[in-house]
């Protein structure tokens, strides 16, 4: 696929992200203080950098698992039809679960994943999303913790891609077509 030319304008610095992740981890640690072993579920692929930083700041026993849901492909718009491409490796029945997502946009992905996981009978299920674009929401779903609320811009970096590019940027930037 040929890519339209674009530049990336920094929106959230690596330093701001690190400070926010630390604060989120403190809240999450407090919330799950009495857990045996928290299952942290990262939604692939966009959450891989965030989950790596977040779990290292959690002062809790944790297990890490991943789930991949279908996404944008190479487009800028959500398909609204969510399919599970890779399921969890472990069981979550009667466990404390934290779902870690990169961005809540229309909300379809998170709603679908939350319904799927709740049906498996976890003891507690909470959601932590790094970014939230509330003005784009089409279904009713809210993360328990949100890193940053952002305007309706297409963003990349810190694990988040545009057509599989730019996941390795240390900051979050907005895509501007030129
Ligand atoms: P939703 O189902 O519309 O909420 O879309 C959620 C998924 O779309 C996120 O997990 C991201 O993978 C992707 N997504 C949403 N907004 C952006 C963006 O600005 N940049 C890159 N991916 C995005
Ligand atoms: Mg995603």
């Amino acid at each position: 696929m040929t890519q339209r030319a674009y530049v990336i304008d920094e929106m959230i610095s690596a330093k701001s992200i690190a400070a926010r992740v630390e604060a989120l981890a403190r809240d999450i640690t407090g919330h799950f203080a009495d857990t045996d072993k928290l299952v942290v579920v990262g939604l692939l692929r966009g959450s891989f950098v965030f989950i790596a930083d977040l779990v290292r700041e959690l002062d809790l026993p944790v297990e890490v698992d991943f789930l991949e849901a279908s996404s944008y492909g190479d487009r800028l718009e959500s398909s609204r039809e969510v399919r599970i491409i890779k399921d969890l490796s472990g069981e979550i029945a009667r466990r404390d679960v934290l779902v870690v997502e990169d961005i809540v946009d229309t909300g379809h992905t998170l709603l679908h994943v939350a319904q799927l996981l709740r049906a498996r009978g976890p003891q507690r299920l909470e959601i932590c999303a790094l970014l939230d674009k509330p003005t784009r929401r089409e279904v009713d779903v809210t993360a328990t913790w949100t890193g940053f609320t952002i305007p309706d811009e297409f963003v990349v970096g810190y694990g988040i891609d545009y057509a599989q590019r730019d996941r390795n940027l240390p900051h979050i930037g907005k895509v501007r077509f030129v």
Side-chain angles (χ1 to χ4, degrees):
M1 181 188 166
T2 46
Q3 240 16 97
R4 283 169 67 192
Y6 64 92
V7 294
I8 299 166
D9 300 322
E10 182 168 307
M11 182 189 256
I12 310 171
S13 70
K15 215 174 146 189
S16 312
I17 299 170
R20 188 71 190 115
V21 170
E22 205 186 312
L24 289 169
R26 250 195 324 271
D27 280 5
I28 295 167
T29 297
H31 183 85
F32 288 107
D34 58 346
T35 194
D36 271 0
K37 202 182 349 151
L38 180 66
V39 189
V40 184
V41 172
L43 303 195
L44 292 172
R45 288 172 249 175
S47 72
F48 81 104
V49 175
F50 180 37
I51 195 174
D53 283 346
L54 187 69
V55 293
R56 284 180 293 175
E57 299 283 346
L58 292 177
D59 192 10
L60 294 169
V62 299
E63 191 174 313
V64 176
D65 206 341
F66 293 98
L67 185 144
E68 184 170 8
S70 63
S71 71
Y72 283 32
D74 286 352
R75 291 160 304 131
L76 290 164
E77 268 290 308
S78 165
S79 59
R80 290 174 183 82
E81 236 176 80
V82 185
R83 285 175 307 117
I84 301 301
I85 294 166
K86 183 216 168 288
D87 204 342
L88 298 178
S89 299
E91 305 283 332
I92 57 163
R94 296 173 301 279
R95 305 286 304 274
D96 290 329
V97 177
L98 176 70
V99 176
V100 176
E101 172 62 315
D102 55 354
I103 309 183
V104 192
D105 188 35
T106 64
H108 288 280
T109 307
L110 201 53
L111 184 69
H112 184 90
V113 168
Q115 283 171 345
L116 176 88
L117 298 184
R118 284 208 175 94
R120 296 180 187 178
Q123 176 165 285
R124 278 187 286 186
L125 185 141
E126 308 289 358
I127 298 164
C128 179
L130 179 66
L131 304 175
D132 186 10
K133 297 193 228 176
T135 60
R136 298 259 309 160
R137 200 75 86 254
E138 293 177 5
V139 292
D140 188 19
V141 60
T142 324
T144 322
W145 296 279
T146 298
F148 302 91
T149 299
I150 62 167
D152 180 11
E153 300 278 0
F154 197 83
V155 297
V156 292
Y158 196 69
I160 301 163
D161 73 303
Y162 173 37
Q164 302 307 327
R165 291 172 53 176
D166 308 312
R167 292 190 195 275
N168 56 326
L169 279 182
H171 57 268
I172 289 166
K174 58 182 166 192
V175 167
R176 179 162 52 87
F177 293 99
V178 290

